[in-house]
């Protein structure tokens, strides 16, 4: 916890706390862009039997073009993932970064604490750290899932080279993994992320912190009490 | 005795009704008039290039043909009205045949228009006068029932396409067909009869898997011969199959050709793949597109097998891992969301 957190005053006198550095905000935009393009060009290949697939492929100028776009955006996604992991490695080694998204034992306790609160066994939810377990699950999911997509994607892109190193059936297995992992990622995003960042009554219509980079002090106190206590020890009862 | 008389009377009555219905005496009377001259051998037409063609019509053959009781001579030879016939100027006998072919469309319009889409008509239009027209396949005065013996179809195509026919005769389909098996395809089963497409075109290649699927996706038929009934589904699940289907839907040619059934199995020279012949030749088939891939590459194609724990376990494990993981995760997440909403609702 060596990183210094920026706190600034808004025009109306209230305070807001930095949650994402500009680099992370740009990363999120890159992920949005590549993810959407990858889904739009990849799913019609997975669901080739449906009429909407033919329509989508036509919009991209045919299967050959869609595949080219898919591969280019896949490579951008891959390089970004590498850059992301490298930035974390370098940041951690140089003590400029805290691993605030890495799951800890507290998060597992929080899962049960939250469920107990949902089931009215506890009167209050647990005090969450900077990122709660729901957000960490999604982050870890996209990093690990992203790694699966990158590795299997590379196998499918260069099957001839891969066959010299791995058994041939791994290519067929990579195809199953690539389309299944894509389905999983899409569903988690469409259900979990859209709920957590848009439709959850706590943030509706939208949690803007990933775009503005800042969260209001009030919201931080309510949703990430532990982080609030760390930043404002004097104001915590 | 009375019974026999009654039966005889009935037979005559029914026969006369049929006779009337099919035009009765009048048509045969007219045909008879033509056959006064054309029923005898000896006369012939003379063409501009000096060649001749006999104008003899075998009366029995004509009477037994499908048109025998229905049409009369001038229904097809419409420009003939009097005797002696008005002389016509024609280059040669083929010229006469080609001109005369237009007459079939007056009744068989649907088939005629289908022929206009065919490679045969395209060749004819380009000036190749040998390209077949109606009578070249069906005959003229001796046209027989539509229920032509299937082998007869092969012989007709084979009379021009000799090389292909010879190859076909040695194939697994050809051998069985020649032995009288009706399950295997003859020429027209794959190529169609009237709207025969150019088989060298990319779109034909892309759609060809559907031709094979007509029989090879037929569970009953495949069971009868101990063949794998899942060849179509396993092909379509593979990268090649999915691509082929998408390309075929696009109606435009892909940048690179993609393997369909015939690229591994052959076309007219298809042999049985039972007994490991397929795996022995597969590397060569792969390398035709994937240059210099190692032999291990061939295992990426599961040979139309569904992955199982014994065959291709890696594929099977991945498939089932996701089949279990995806519903579990998604159901868990949905439950979590619903509980959250429920708690927020009860807090009031």
């Amino acid at each position: 916890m060596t990183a210094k957190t920026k706190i600034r005053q808004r025009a109306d006198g209230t305070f807001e706390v930095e949650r994402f550095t500009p680099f992370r905000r740009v990363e999120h935009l890159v992920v949005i862009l590549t993810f959407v393009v990858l889904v739009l060009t990849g799913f019609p290949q997975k669901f080739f039997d449906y009429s909407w697939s033919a329509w989508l492929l036509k919009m991209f100028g045919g299967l050959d073009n869609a595949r080219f776009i898919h591969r280019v955006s896949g490579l951008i996604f891959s390089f970004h993932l590498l850059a992301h992991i490298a930035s974390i490695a370098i940041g951690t080694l140089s003590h400029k970064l805290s691993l605030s998204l890495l799951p800890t034992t507290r998060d597992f306790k929080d899962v049960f604490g939250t469920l107990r609160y949902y089931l009215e066994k506890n009167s209050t939810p647990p005090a969450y750290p900077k990122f709660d377990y729901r957000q960490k699950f999604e982050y870890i999911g996209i990093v690990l899932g992203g790694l699966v997509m990158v590795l299997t994607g590379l196998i499918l892109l260069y099957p001839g080279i891969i066959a010299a190193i791995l058994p041939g059936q791994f290519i067929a297995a990579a195809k199953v993994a690539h389309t299944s992992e894509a389905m999983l990622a899409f569903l988690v995003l469409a259900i979990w992320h859209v709920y957590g960042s848009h439709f959850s009554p706590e943030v509706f219509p939208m949690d803007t912190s990933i775009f503005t980079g800042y969260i209001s002090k009030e919201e931080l106190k309510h949703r990430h009490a532990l982080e609030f206590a760390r930043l404002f020890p004097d104001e915590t009862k | 005795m009375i019974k026999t008389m009654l039966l005889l009377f009935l037979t005559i009555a029914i026969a006369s009704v049929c006779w009337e219905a099919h035009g009765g005496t009048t048509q045969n009377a007219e045909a008879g008039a033509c056959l006064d001259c054309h029923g005898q051998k000896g006369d012939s037409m003379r063409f501009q290039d000096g060649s001749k063609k006999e104008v003899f019509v075998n009366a029995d053959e004509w009477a037994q043909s499908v048109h025998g009781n229905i049409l009369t001579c001038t229904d097809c030879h419409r420009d003939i009205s009097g005797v002696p016939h008005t002389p016509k100027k024609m280059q040669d006998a083929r010229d006469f045949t080609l001109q005369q072919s237009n007459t079939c469309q007056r009744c068989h319009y649907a088939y005629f228009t289908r022929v206009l889409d065919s490679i045969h008509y395209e060749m004819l239009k380009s000036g190749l006068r040998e390209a077949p027209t109606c009578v070249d396949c069906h005959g003229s005065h001796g046209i027989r029932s539509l229920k032509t013996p299937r082998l007869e179809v092969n012989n007709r195509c084979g009379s021009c396409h000799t090389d292909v026919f010879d190859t076909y005769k040695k194939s697994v389909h050809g051998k069985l067909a020649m032995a009288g098996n009706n399950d295997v395809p003859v020429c027209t089963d794959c190529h169609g009869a009237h709207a025969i497409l150019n088989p060298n075109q990319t779109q034909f290649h892309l759609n060809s898997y559907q031709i094979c699927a007509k029989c090879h996706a037929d569970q009953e038929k495949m069971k009868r011969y101990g063949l794998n009934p899942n060849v179509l589904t396993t092909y379509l699940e593979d990268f090649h199959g999915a691509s082929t289907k998408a390309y075929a839907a696009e109606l435009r040619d892909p940048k690179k050709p993609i393997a369909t059934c015939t690229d591994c199995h052959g076309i007219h020279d298809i042999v049985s793949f039972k007994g490991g012949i397929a795996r022995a030749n597969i590397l060569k088939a792969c390398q035709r597109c994937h240059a210099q891939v190692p032999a291990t590459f061939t295992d990426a194609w599961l040979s139309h097998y569904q992955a199982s724990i014994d065959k291709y376990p890696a594929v099977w494990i991945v498939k089932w891992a996701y089949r279990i993981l995806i519903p579990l995760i998604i159901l868990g997440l949905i439950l979590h969301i619903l509980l959250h909403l429920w708690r927020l609702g009860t807090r009031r």
Side-chain angles (χ1 to χ4, degrees):
Chain A
M1 297 283 183
T2 47
K4 189 99 181 76
T5 307
K6 274 188 216 164
I7 301 164
R8 67 184 190 191
Q9 197 168 15
R10 282 173 177 164
D12 62 359
T14 58
F15 287 90
E16 58 181 8
V17 179
E18 189 183 47
R19 202 163 161 73
F20 300 104
T21 61
F23 178 66
R24 298 294 178 226
R25 291 175 233 162
V26 172
E27 280 194 285
H28 181 250
L29 291 177
V30 172
V31 172
I32 292 182
L33 206 76
T34 47
F35 193 94
V36 168
V37 173
L38 284 166
V39 166
L40 288 179
T41 51
F43 273 44
Q45 296 184 55
K46 179 178 171 70
F47 298 103
F48 60 90
D49 236 354
Y50 295 83
S51 58
W52 58 262
S53 296
W55 179 82
L56 253 180
L57 287 177
K58 211 169 135 194
M59 299 306 284
F60 281 102
L63 180 61
D64 282 326
N65 280 348
R67 236 168 225 166
F68 178 75
I69 296 167
H70 189 81
R71 285 164 187 174
V72 170
S73 41
L75 284 174
I76 295 172
F77 182 89
S78 307
F79 283 121
H80 169 231
L81 186 62
L82 278 182
H84 180 76
I85 291 168
S87 81
I88 288 168
I90 293 165
T92 313
L93 290 174
S94 60
H95 301 286
K96 279 182 182 162
L97 199 84
S98 62
L99 294 173
S100 52
L101 272 161
L102 201 70
T104 60
T105 43
R106 164 185 292 282
D107 293 307
F108 291 96
K109 284 182 197 154
D110 282 353
V111 175
F112 292 102
T114 307
L115 286 175
R116 287 180 68 79
Y117 164 68
Y118 286 175
L119 296 167
E120 297 186 327
K121 300 266 191 258
N122 292 356
S123 56
T124 51
Y128 298 116
K130 182 176 179 185
F131 295 106
D132 63 46
Y133 70 89
R134 288 165 288 211
Q135 294 164 327
K136 286 184 183 183
F137 164 78
E138 206 185 314
Y139 169 76
I140 295 296
I142 199 160
V143 171
L144 293 184
L147 281 173
V148 171
M149 295 309 284
V150 168
L151 289 176
T152 53
L154 280 174
I155 293 176
L156 296 174
L157 192 54
Y158 300 107
I161 297 167
I162 294 300
I165 313 162
L166 292 172
Q169 60 164 312
F170 277 51
I171 298 166
K175 185 175 167 267
V176 177
H178 198 76
T179 76
S180 307
E181 183 65 40
M183 193 67 216
L184 179 59
F186 173 76
L187 288 175
V188 169
L189 194 111
I191 295 167
W192 195 239
H193 186 67
V194 166
Y195 179 76
S197 311
H198 295 277
F199 288 114
S200 169
E202 284 163 5
V203 297
F204 188 82
M206 185 173 170
D207 182 351
T208 53
S209 62
I210 190 70
F211 297 106
T212 62
Y214 286 85
I215 185 171
S216 73
K217 196 174 155 189
E218 204 48 41
E219 219 178 314
L220 190 74
K221 185 181 176 182
H222 177 61
R223 288 174 55 205
H224 302 279
L226 219 58
E227 174 76 353
F228 182 83
R230 186 181 75 83
L231 293 172
F232 308 97
D234 305 338
E235 295 174 42
T236 316
K237 285 167 256 171
Chain B
M1 187 65 194
I2 296 167
K3 258 188 186 171
T4 322
M5 290 285 281
L6 205 67
L7 212 64
L8 193 71
F9 174 74
L10 262 173
T11 313
I12 292 166
I14 291 168
S16 61
V17 167
C18 295
W19 178 252
E20 284 300 320
H22 281 281
T25 47
T26 45
Q27 296 192 349
N28 273 11
E30 192 192 313
C34 298
L35 286 170
D36 281 348
C37 298
H38 289 279
Q40 293 158 28
K41 293 196 176 190
D43 285 339
S44 52
M45 283 165 87
R46 207 176 301 112
F47 298 99
Q48 283 177 321
D49 67 348
S51 60
K52 285 180 181 179
K53 184 184 170 70
E54 204 176 28
V55 292
F56 166 71
V57 174
N58 186 323
D60 289 337
E61 196 184 59
W62 161 246
Q64 281 161 21
S65 79
V66 276
H67 294 141
N69 273 328
I70 299 168
L71 299 182
T72 181
C73 307
T74 48
D75 285 333
C76 294
H77 299 275
R78 286 167 62 78
D79 48 355
I80 289 172
S81 51
V83 183
H85 312 324
T86 329
K88 279 185 285 186
K89 282 187 179 173
M90 273 174 293
Q91 192 59 39
D92 54 15
R94 188 66 188 158
D95 217 12
F96 177 66
T97 305
L98 292 176
Q99 280 188 25
Q100 200 58 43
S101 270
N102 276 327
T103 200
C104 306
Q105 64 169 305
R106 292 183 51 240
C107 295
H108 303 283
Y109 191 66
Y111 289 108
F112 185 83
T113 47
R114 256 176 257 176
V115 170
L116 299 185
D117 291 330
S118 74
I119 176 73
H120 284 149
Y121 184 75
E122 209 175 288
M123 306 214 67
L124 200 62
K125 210 169 51 177
S126 76
L128 192 87
R129 298 196 315 152
E130 287 75 21
T133 169
C134 314
V135 291
D136 293 309
C137 297
H138 291 281
S140 47
H141 298 111
I143 296 176
R144 280 195 274 147
S145 159
L146 281 173
K147 297 175 188 81
T148 315
R150 283 156 58 80
L151 282 181
E152 184 62 25
V153 174
N154 277 351
N155 291 333
R156 286 177 198 172
C157 303
S159 66
C160 291
H161 300 275
T162 46
D163 284 354
V164 167
F165 191 33
D166 284 343
T167 314
Y168 165 83
K169 277 191 254 186
K170 290 178 206 139
S171 75
V172 66
H173 292 143
K175 270 186 206 158
L176 284 171
M178 304 305 265
N181 185 319
N182 269 336
D183 282 341
V184 290
V186 297
C187 309
T188 48
D189 289 316
C190 298
H191 291 279
H194 293 101
I196 296 173
L197 296 173
N198 180 353
N200 296 320
Q201 265 173 359
T202 314
Q203 280 304 318
F204 184 88
H205 178 245
L206 284 175
N207 286 297
S208 61
Y209 76 93
Q210 290 174 11
I211 296 173
C212 306
K214 274 196 287 184
C215 292
H216 285 273
D218 181 334
Q219 308 280 323
E220 285 283 302
K221 206 178 252 187
M222 290 303 103
K223 239 180 248 170
R224 227 179 295 157
Y225 295 92
L227 293 171
N228 181 352
N230 301 320
V231 287
L232 176 69
T233 48
T234 47
Y235 170 67
L236 288 176
E237 274 167 23
D238 175 68
F239 185 81
H240 296 106
S243 304
T244 297
K245 195 160 188 181
Y247 282 136
E250 273 175 29
L251 297 173
R252 100 177 98 182
D253 295 354
K255 280 182 196 151
K256 279 188 277 182
I258 193 137
T260 68
C261 316
T262 53
D263 294 294
C264 296
H265 292 270
I267 307 170
H268 298 111
D269 57 349
I270 294 174
V271 290
S272 171
F273 265 24
K274 283 179 183 169
I277 304 166
R279 280 328 277 198
N281 292 323
I282 192 171
L283 183 60
K284 251 189 278 167
C286 294
Q287 283 178 338
R288 256 188 281 153
C289 294
H290 303 272
Q292 290 165 349
V293 287
T296 45
F297 180 78
T298 58
D299 281 331
W301 164 239
L302 309 187
S303 282
H304 294 292
Y305 285 110
Q306 308 270 15
S308 69
I309 190 77
D310 315 313
K311 260 189 193 307
Y312 308 108
V315 184
W316 184 85
I317 289 168
V318 171
K319 195 160 139 186
W320 276 99
Y322 278 105
R323 267 191 194 173
I324 296 165
L325 212 62
I326 293 177
L328 273 184
I329 291 177
I330 298 306
L331 279 176
L333 296 182
I334 291 175
L335 201 65
H336 193 288
I337 290 170
L338 291 177
L339 278 174
H340 182 216
L341 287 170
W342 179 73
R343 183 63 168 97
L344 290 177
T346 56
R347 201 163 50 184
R348 273 175 282 164

